Amino acid sequence: HILEHSVLCGSRKYPIKEPFVELIKGSLNTFLNAMTYPDRTCYPVASCNLQDFRNLVDVYLDAVFHPRCVNNEKTFQQEGWHYELDAPDQEMTFKGVVYNEMKGVYSSPDSVLAREAQQALFPDNTYGVDSGGDPTVIPQLTFAEFRDFHGKFYHPSNSRMWFYGDDDVEERLKILDSFLSEFDRKEIDSTIATQKYFTEPKRVVASYVAGEGEEAEKSFVQVNWLLNDGPFDTETALAVGFLDNLLLGSPAAPLRMALEESGLGEAIVGYGLEDELRQPTFAIGLKGVAKEDIPKVESLITETIAKIAEEGFTQAAIDSSVNSIEFAMRENNTGRFPRGLSLMLRSLSAWLYEGDPVEILRFEEPLAKLKARMAKEDVFTPLIKKMLIDNTHKVTIELNPDKELGKVQDEEEKAKVAAYRAGLSPEEIEKVVADTEELKRLQETPDSPEALACVPALDITDIPKEAKSIPTDVSTVGATTMLTHDIFTNDILYAEHLMDLHAVPMDLMPLVPLWCRAMQRMGTSKRSFVDFDQLMGATTGGFSLSPFTSSIRGSDDVSAYLVLRGKSTSAQAGQLHDLMAEMMLEAKLDDKEIFKQLVLESRASMESRVQSGGHSVAAGRLDAMDSVAGYVSEQLGGLAQLEYLKTLAKRIDSDWDGVVADLEKIRAALVSRDGSVTNLTADAKTLEATAGAVQSFLDALPAEGTGAATEAWSKDLVLPPVNELITVPTQVNYVGKGANLYKSGYELHGSAYVINKLLGTTWLWDRVRVSGGAYGGFSDFDSHSGMFSYLSYRDPNLLKTIANYDGTVEFLKDISLDKDELTKAIVGTMGDLDSYQLPDAKGYTALMRHLLKVKDEERQQRREEVLATTEKDFKKFGEVLEATRAPEARVCAVVSPDAAEAAMKERPDLDFKVTSVM
């Protein structure tokens, strides 16, 4: 993991501090990152611009095969670990980007559970250790071991190379040859040993760091199996994939349903089938389990699997599963992730283990064979018996809360550092101080413009001057605004139906996310939940329900809608819309046990988000102190939602009838044509063929809601502005600070996008990540609301990070950019503006532009402003950012109780309000 970070910090051909960051700054990449798995590290790049793509490939190949980090211990110290001491009389600590990243990972109980499970299933091969790094042992790694590891494994003889696209194959081979020709073939044993099967099941009991309060008294239990002695053959892999989908793939799947409806836990854990490593595994369990109920969960899993093997799956369940998987395979919708890289990752799960890299990507023939077998025989019962019921390679993990563990871990870390320090002479202590200073000096000294010129970059003339528009036709159908986008979608209709969220009374707003889930989970007056879910799976690509809110620039209005999103083939658009109408109008909302489970699940998922994605929670709080849209979003999905869920969990038992009445009030107010918007994406032929289905859905909706809120949302609807520290059990911090730039008189200019992009790859990257040791540091500018936020991720610091945020103003006012640096910043920004999109995403983007009143003329103007950005714009924006360190600016951070206490002592002037969450 440390090598994955370090090889991207300079190479033979690109001898600068971080070529990777230079590429982020100034490339049109659609993907640029690296990922470490338990048995491989992948270095993928992607771009839609051929010259840019070749530049990325060149930098990455040089980084992997000729990195400077193997001769530069300072990179190892920065990215891995080092002792940090600012002065002889101060506290000595461990620092390092990966070290801190992994402290964050180990603060999340879900991550601890996954690690315990993998290591217990594979005690005898490489999967039995953590390739990410265990923070308690990272400081044992020496620079010599680090360098030797690269020498042994980072050789072309041990690499797999993958290209995807319509570029010239001959040219690809020439690029590879320019690197590979200087190496000789070498025998490298990097095979992953096969884990031998256990002859009897095992059990592991472990602990996780828990907070105070009743919520902390919850355990995790997960049952895990090793399924095979190597990768499956193609047909078995497909059959096991179907089995996984049948058991767990939808809320109506029997194993998932048995666990979710048992009342024994809050949410499912375990990923079901995991087939990316040499030997596939299967895992399932629950979190939020009372200690005394752990045996009941284990029995329930065993009994449910036995019952399914005995009774088999219904034909309706099989039809639903087959259609869902087949629809997904044919649609091949990888979202923002490039399709070529998605195929590469799939291919590796065979190729890495001596399999055929292309065979695993073919699905037509094995699918046809499997469907033929399924028509004649019971394919799944023998699989369940062999892999789950009669399988002795089974491990049960019980993970219990420990309120003292956090303290113990902190004390152990401090004791290690203290023991090391105690063995140092005064001269050696001075050397640690000098080394700390030297590392910081290197980190904070920028590369010279001459050195940076080595990284290949595009020129502004390579960027199209015209903004691309998305074909959009806007019309009115009754009370509904209709948007259609004539885009080729391979016979699939993508539909969004939006209803106006302003209709919901504000006191019911926090209930809307639960209402969305309940609508999809209790069946309808026509059919049971299982029948409804299976019919949806068998005939459509599925649909979902969720709220959306945003500010609109230059207006006090808030764009707020309920979004019903669905997709199907052209032929099934009638069925899709019939089922959507049935759900919206006839969904049941009165199943108390199911609703209670949904509340507990949502709460568990929010708690996990606060602990492992605290930066997004902090950003939401800052927005809620600033704008009405931010306040409403906070009610729907922020910390306010978590607090509401805790109260709602109790209210279900004391006032269930009142809860049901509230759920029905939301439907009555919200489900109507009044103020509705429909957005359809498909080619003209499909749009024409499906128009009747869409019309009959709209006709089925009431003209207006009953009991709808009539008062406009007040501009005063915001959280009180305070500096807030949100405390949870964690070893790292997530630090946010922000202010609204429009309120201090700033008028939007395209250069803001360029400046925001550059800050994340220069000042904030260098100060918060590189020398601060956080896993991430960046800024975010919401051009709709005017909110500018600084955020950090898995950060060892709190007040130091706030000081670095405040230093941004001087950084911009004193900035000196040469032409190359400025060009890079502009090109990188254009890469973000022109990001690659699949057809459904294009249609959705056009919908967002319509809702937020962003016209193509304005987009063209912003584009021209981006392309014309100058150094003067940066200096001017430095003045604008004074707002972020003015007294009105606010801090919000997710931290440990100890970190909060220390910050309050050191900065009483910030008058922190502490909110304890877990």
Side-chain angles (χ1 to χ4, degrees):
H1 186 188
I2 298 170
L3 258 176
E4 172 220 311
H5 282 240
S6 303
V7 301
L8 296 169
C9 296
S11 62
R12 184 172 75 180
K13 203 166 166 185
Y14 304 108
I16 56 172
K17 288 202 301 186
E18 297 194 273
F20 172 67
V21 180
E22 295 309 309
L23 292 176
I24 296 176
K25 274 184 206 171
S27 133
L28 298 174
N29 73 79
T30 52
F31 193 88
L32 180 73
N33 211 331
M35 316 76 115
T36 297
Y37 285 72
D39 58 9
R40 75 198 86 146
T41 298
C42 303
Y43 293 91
V45 298
S47 177
C48 295
N49 178 296
L50 187 55
Q51 188 49 54
D52 187 47
F53 175 65
R54 288 179 179 153
N55 294 346
L56 297 174
V57 169
D58 197 69
V59 174
Y60 260 49
L61 283 168
D62 203 58
V64 168
F65 294 126
H66 307 293
R68 295 203 305 169
C69 65
V70 294
N71 301 311
N72 178 1
E73 193 167 353
K74 289 281 185 256
T75 302
F76 168 72
Q77 291 170 351
Q78 168 182 299
E79 298 297 323
W81 76 276
H82 63 277
Y83 292 104
E84 181 155 296
L85 183 61
D86 291 326
D89 60 346
Q90 289 194 359
E91 188 188 7
M92 187 186 282
T93 56
F94 286 129
K95 268 281 171 71
V97 174
V98 169
Y99 177 74
N100 225 67
E101 177 189 347
M102 295 313 293
K103 277 178 80 173
V105 171
Y106 277 52
S107 293
S108 150
D110 294 78
S111 302
V112 174
L113 178 71
R115 186 186 75 248
E116 291 287 354
Q118 183 183 301
Q119 295 183 353
L121 280 172
F122 296 100
D124 306 320
N125 69 5
T126 194
Y127 303 148
V129 291
D130 188 349
S131 66
D134 180 336
T136 60
V137 295
I138 286 174
Q140 293 168 20
L141 182 69
T142 67
F143 179 58
E145 288 171 316
F146 169 80
R147 192 176 52 213
D148 293 348
F149 189 92
H150 182 276
K152 181 174 178 187
F153 294 108
Y154 275 58
H155 187 281
S157 307
N158 190 45
S159 68
R160 309 279 194 288
M161 301 196 183
W162 166 282
F163 280 86
Y164 175 96
D166 58 2
D167 53 313
D168 180 45
V169 174
E170 197 71 26
E171 196 52 41
R172 292 174 177 176
L173 296 173
K174 273 184 195 157
I175 293 169
L176 290 182
D177 187 56
S178 69
F179 282 91
L180 304 187
S181 56
E182 65 180 284
F183 291 92
D184 294 323
R185 174 147 187 84
K186 182 168 142 184
E187 284 309 314
I188 297 168
D189 183 13
S190 63
T191 49
I192 309 301
T194 300
Q195 172 63 51
K196 289 200 173 68
Y197 272 107
F198 299 162
T199 51
E200 56 185 14
K202 297 191 178 182
R203 183 179 196 87
V204 173
V205 180
S207 305
Y208 70 89
V209 177
E212 298 300 323
E214 63 191 71
E215 277 86 22
E217 303 291 334
K218 306 272 174 62
S219 295
F220 290 64
V221 59
Q222 180 172 300
V223 186
N224 311 267
W225 292 264
L226 183 71
L227 300 184
N228 207 30
D229 53 8
F232 294 127
D233 63 71
T234 315
E235 202 179 319
T236 308
L238 204 53
V240 176
F242 273 104
L243 175 61
D244 179 47
N245 187 274
L246 282 161
L247 290 170
L248 295 168
S250 84
L255 181 55
R256 178 167 161 184
M257 213 164 145
L259 284 164
E260 285 184 344
E261 296 187 2
S262 67
L264 294 171
E266 293 178 350
I268 285 198
V269 289
Y271 40 77
L273 175 67
E274 170 59 77
D275 57 1
E276 281 197 305
L277 303 179
R278 175 176 274 286
Q279 290 168 273
T281 58
F282 189 90
I284 183 67
L286 279 175
K287 68 168 155 185
V289 178
K291 190 134 175 40
E292 63 274 16
D293 287 339
I294 289 173
K296 292 182 193 164
V297 175
E298 292 174 57
S299 304
L300 178 65
I301 291 170
T302 310
E303 287 158 16
T304 306
I305 289 170
K307 187 176 174 213
I308 293 167
E310 195 179 312
E311 295 174 2
F313 296 104
T314 63
Q315 194 54 47
I318 291 170
D319 291 347
S320 174
S321 193
V322 169
N323 180 66
S324 300
I325 290 177
E326 198 168 343
F327 189 98
M329 284 173 157
R330 293 190 194 289
E331 186 193 22
N332 190 19
N333 191 332
T334 55
R336 292 173 64 177
F337 194 71
R339 280 174 167 163
L341 295 184
S342 162
L343 289 171
M344 177 268 290
L345 295 175
R346 205 182 307 162
S347 155
L348 276 176
S349 57
W351 196 12
L352 210 60
Y353 315 117
E354 304 81 53
D356 184 320
V358 180
E359 203 49 46
I360 190 172
L361 304 177
R362 301 185 201 283
F363 67 86
E364 292 282 4
E365 200 182 324
L367 184 62
K369 275 189 190 164
L370 181 63
K371 280 162 93 172
R373 265 185 66 205
M374 279 156 57
K376 295 201 300 277
E377 60 183 279
D378 177 358
V379 171
F380 301 112
T381 304
L383 282 177
I384 295 176
K385 285 189 169 152
K386 179 185 172 202
M387 291 182 183
L388 302 177
I389 295 174
D390 303 332
N391 184 351
T392 51
H393 197 112
K394 172 182 171 185
V395 177
T396 302
I397 307 286
E398 178 185 324
L399 194 63
N400 297 312
D402 182 342
K403 292 178 186 177
E404 298 305 311
L405 185 61
K407 242 182 230 135
V408 171
Q409 287 175 345
D410 285 347
E411 280 160 15
E412 280 175 1
E413 182 182 322
K414 283 178 179 153
K416 273 183 200 167
V417 178
Y420 171 74
R421 184 175 184 150
L424 299 179
S425 66
E427 293 76 29
E428 287 168 322
I429 285 179
E430 286 296 351
K431 186 174 183 314
V432 177
V433 174
D435 286 347
T436 301
E437 207 173 299
E438 170 66 1
L439 182 59
K440 286 198 171 153
R441 189 186 61 74
L442 287 170
Q443 288 168 336
E444 289 168 13
T445 307
D447 291 302
S448 69
E450 296 74 34
L452 290 173
C454 69
V455 177
L458 297 178
D459 193 69
I460 289 179
T461 53
D462 297 320
I463 307 291
K465 297 280 176 282
E466 299 296 316
K468 280 188 197 148
S469 60
I470 296 166
T472 303
D473 184 63
V474 184
S475 58
T476 308
V477 180
T480 304
T481 302
M482 175 83 72
L483 279 70
T484 53
H485 314 285
D486 179 357
I487 300 173
F488 177 72
T489 56
N490 208 4
D491 194 42
I492 293 174
L493 173 72
Y494 295 100
E496 283 90 25
H497 300 289
L498 282 71
M499 293 161 210
D500 191 352
L501 212 49
H502 289 82
V504 177
M506 192 51 77
D507 64 318
L508 294 180
M509 198 58 76
L511 188 55
V512 168
L514 264 299
W515 176 82
C516 289
R517 293 195 66 191
M519 289 283 283
Q520 301 168 76
R521 190 62 185 78
M522 298 182 190
T524 67
S525 57
K526 282 188 182 151
R527 54 192 113 228
S528 72
F529 160 64
V530 171
D531 289 347
F532 186 90
D533 192 76
Q534 289 176 348
L535 185 58
M536 176 173 80
T539 54
T540 74
F543 49 86
S544 65
L545 203 54
S546 60
F548 157 81
T549 55
S550 171
S551 297
I552 299 171
R553 193 173 65 79
S555 162
D556 289 336
D557 289 347
V558 174
S559 183
Y561 290 93
L562 174 80
V563 184
L564 171 62
R565 288 189 86 170
K567 56 189 175 185
S568 72
T569 58
S570 174
Q572 294 285 12
Q575 176 72 284
L576 171 74
H577 282 88
D578 287 349
L579 286 172
M580 281 178 165
E582 185 179 324
M583 177 181 78
M584 296 309 287
L585 302 168
E586 300 182 61
K588 290 184 174 171
L589 293 166
D590 58 357
D591 189 321
K592 181 178 175 182
E593 293 313 311
I594 294 288
F595 189 76
K596 190 168 193 175
Q597 187 56 38
L598 295 177
V599 171
L600 294 177
E601 258 173 48
S602 297
R603 187 177 81 184
S605 135
M606 269 300 302
E607 286 175 343
S608 165
R609 193 179 128 221
V610 179
Q611 257 183 315
S612 54
H615 59 301
S616 65
V617 174
R621 292 297 268 192
L622 292 171
D623 286 346
M625 295 175 205
D626 175 67
S627 70
V628 180
Y631 177 85
V632 176
S633 292
E634 172 70 9
Q635 303 306 308
L636 294 167
L639 203 57
Q641 171 72 189
L642 177 56
E643 296 308 320
Y644 178 81
L645 290 170
K646 288 178 182 175
T647 314
L648 183 61
K650 294 184 175 127
R651 186 184 166 205
I652 292 167
D653 291 324
S654 62
D655 179 26
W656 174 239
D657 290 347
V659 173
V660 175
D662 283 350
L663 291 168
E664 286 295 359
K665 273 184 205 161
I666 291 176
R667 172 165 40 200
L670 188 53
V671 179
S672 85
R673 289 285 292 274
D674 192 19
S676 66
V677 180
T678 284
N679 189 61
L680 306 171
T681 308
D683 57 47
K685 183 176 150 221
T686 305
L687 287 169
E688 194 180 337
T690 56
V694 172
Q695 188 58 53
S696 63
F697 167 78
L698 294 174
D699 290 344
L701 298 177
E704 50 192 45
T706 51
T710 48
E711 268 179 57
W713 290 349
S714 158
K715 282 193 285 190
D716 303 329
L717 204 58
V718 288
L719 289 182
V722 293
N723 291 322
E724 183 175 35
L725 297 177
I726 297 161
T727 60
V728 297
T730 178
Q731 291 183 285
V732 291
N733 305 316
Y734 300 87
V735 186
K737 185 173 191 191
N740 191 308
L741 304 185
Y742 294 163
K743 288 179 183 170
S744 56
Y746 174 68
E747 286 193 20
L748 181 62
H749 186 269
S751 60
Y753 301 124
V754 184
I755 297 161
N756 186 47
K757 172 91 175 169
L758 190 94
L759 284 176
T761 51
T762 52
W763 176 256
L764 295 173
W765 178 279
D766 292 338
R767 297 291 159 141
V768 178
R769 179 184 164 112
V770 176
S771 56
Y775 183 42
F778 53 96
S779 55
D780 178 63
F781 179 46
D782 180 343
S783 61
H784 306 293
S785 70
M787 189 66 179
F788 188 95
S789 322
Y790 299 105
L791 297 163
S792 74
Y793 183 68
R794 292 182 183 160
D795 189 345
N797 308 305
L798 172 51
L799 297 175
K800 263 186 196 168
T801 297
I802 295 169
N804 281 323
Y805 293 161
D806 290 347
T808 307
V809 172
E810 271 72 39
F811 169 75
L812 287 177
K813 285 180 180 175
D814 301 341
I815 202 163
S816 162
L817 287 172
D818 67 5
K819 182 170 176 290
D820 288 352
E821 275 290 273
L822 187 58
T823 300
K824 259 189 226 168
I826 292 170
V827 169
T829 305
M830 296 308 295
D832 294 344
L833 292 180
D834 291 346
S835 60
Y836 175 71
Q837 290 188 311
L838 294 172
D840 63 318
K842 285 181 182 167
Y844 197 72
T845 297
L847 167 67
M848 287 298 128
R849 286 175 189 160
H850 172 83
L851 298 179
L852 304 180
K853 302 184 169 55
V854 179
K855 302 265 189 293
D856 280 351
E857 298 74 30
E858 190 201 326
R859 291 179 49 244
Q860 183 60 37
Q861 180 194 336
R862 298 286 166 245
R863 187 181 191 87
E864 286 163 13
E865 289 168 353
V866 166
L867 290 168
T869 299
T870 65
E871 186 186 281
K872 206 152 89 189
D873 294 315
F874 281 77
K875 292 180 182 293
K876 241 196 305 196
F877 202 72
E879 302 284 351
V880 172
L881 285 188
E882 284 286 5
T884 63
R885 61 179 190 186
E888 299 73 44
R890 290 286 164 242
V891 171
C892 181
V894 175
V895 300
S896 68
D898 289 352
E901 201 179 316
M904 288 163 79
K905 266 190 198 143
E906 198 177 327
R907 288 292 303 274
D909 58 303
L910 287 173
D911 194 19
F912 283 118
K913 172 188 175 223
V914 175
T915 307
S916 171
V917 177
M918 293 160 73

